[in-house]
């Protein structure tokens, strides 16, 4: 999902750059609508899903699944750490919007994943080591603890992390707006001098 997000974000960025650097500004300005392009809407929704869920997965893996002293692979570090770092960096450097109203997306996706893990268990699915679960924290052989983890992830961790990422976005947006204002003022001064 994260790879798809970055691919779509790249396409949306190239489209925005193309529109922003068009040589025929007057025709372009007349034809631009106030609607957000469909690909940008998908990217915004996917950013909220991937940003929150990569953080939830990372925190749950390293606190509930990983056993200190046991071996871990580079894949574990990439999937359960690096992806979260990449999403935080993405939120800090991108210029996408992030709004509280989009909290439904990561909550819905997390709930769908929990339902999938339950279906996976009921259908007799196993992981690469033959265990009847994807993550041991969601072992439905122990429905009480699996339900606590599932509800905690969906109803507590996802909303809290969404708000944390929203705060990071707000800090970045405020800092970026101040920087752009200062840069614009400096350009105005340069124009006056000329």
């Amino acid at each position: 999902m994260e790879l798809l997000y970055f691919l779509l974000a790249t396409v949306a960025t190239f489209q925005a750059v193309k529109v922003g650097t068009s040589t025929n500004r007057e025709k372009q300005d007349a034809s631009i609508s106030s609607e957000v392009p469909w690909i940008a809407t998908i990217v915004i929704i996917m950013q909220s899903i991937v940003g929150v869920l990569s953080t939830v997965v990372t925190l749950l893996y390293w606190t509930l699944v990983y056993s200190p002293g046991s071996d871990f692979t580079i894949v574990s570090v990439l999937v359960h750490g690096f992806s979260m770092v990449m999403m935080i960096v993405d939120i800090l450097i991108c210029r996408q919007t992030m709004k509280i109203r989009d909290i439904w997306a990561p909550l819905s996706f997390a709930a769908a994943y929990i339902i999938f893990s339950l279906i996976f268990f009921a259908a007799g699915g196993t992981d690469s080591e033959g265990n009847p679960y994807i993550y041991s924290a969601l072992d439905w052989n122990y429905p009480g603890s699996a339900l606590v983890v599932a509800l905690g992830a969906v109803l507590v961790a996802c909303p809290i992390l969404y708000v944390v990422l929203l705060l990071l976005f707000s800090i970045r947006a405020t800092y970026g707006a101040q920087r752009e204002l200062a840069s614009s003022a400096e350009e105005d001064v340069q124009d006056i001098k000329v």
Side-chain angles (χ1 to χ4, degrees), residues 4-166:
L4 179 61
Y5 161 73
F6 281 121
L7 178 66
L8 290 175
T10 301
V11 170
T13 300
F14 281 123
Q15 284 182 344
V17 168
K18 182 180 174 187
V19 168
T21 59
S22 175
T23 56
N24 197 347
R25 290 276 182 198
E26 294 76 26
K27 287 183 182 178
Q28 175 188 342
D29 290 342
S31 67
I32 292 177
S33 75
S34 61
E35 292 182 22
V36 176
W38 67 269
I39 194 166
T41 301
I42 291 171
V43 167
I44 289 167
I45 296 300
M46 285 186 71
Q47 183 188 45
S48 68
I49 293 169
V50 177
V52 170
L53 294 184
S54 68
T55 306
V56 169
V57 167
T58 297
L59 294 175
L60 291 178
Y61 177 81
W62 293 108
T63 58
L64 299 178
V65 176
Y66 177 73
S67 301
S70 65
D71 292 336
F72 59 88
T73 64
I74 191 69
V75 173
S76 292
V77 174
L78 291 174
V79 172
H80 305 107
F82 184 71
S83 64
M84 178 189 77
V85 171
M86 290 295 296
M87 286 310 302
I88 290 172
V89 168
D90 181 67
I91 287 169
L92 291 174
I93 66 171
C94 76
R95 295 185 68 166
Q96 293 169 187
T97 61
M98 190 169 185
K99 298 188 173 147
I100 193 69
R101 72 174 184 223
D102 294 331
I103 196 170
W104 66 268
L107 294 176
S108 299
F109 198 86
Y113 180 81
I114 298 301
I115 292 167
F116 167 75
S117 76
L118 186 56
I119 293 169
F120 179 86
F121 169 76
T126 59
D127 68 4
S128 61
E129 297 173 8
N131 298 311
Y133 49 75
I134 301 167
Y135 289 106
S136 59
L138 280 176
D139 184 353
W140 293 100
N141 282 313
Y142 307 98
S145 62
L147 191 59
V148 167
V149 170
L151 292 176
V154 174
L155 300 177
V156 178
C158 282
I160 289 172
L161 290 170
Y162 190 85
V163 170
V164 168
L165 293 178
L166 191 60

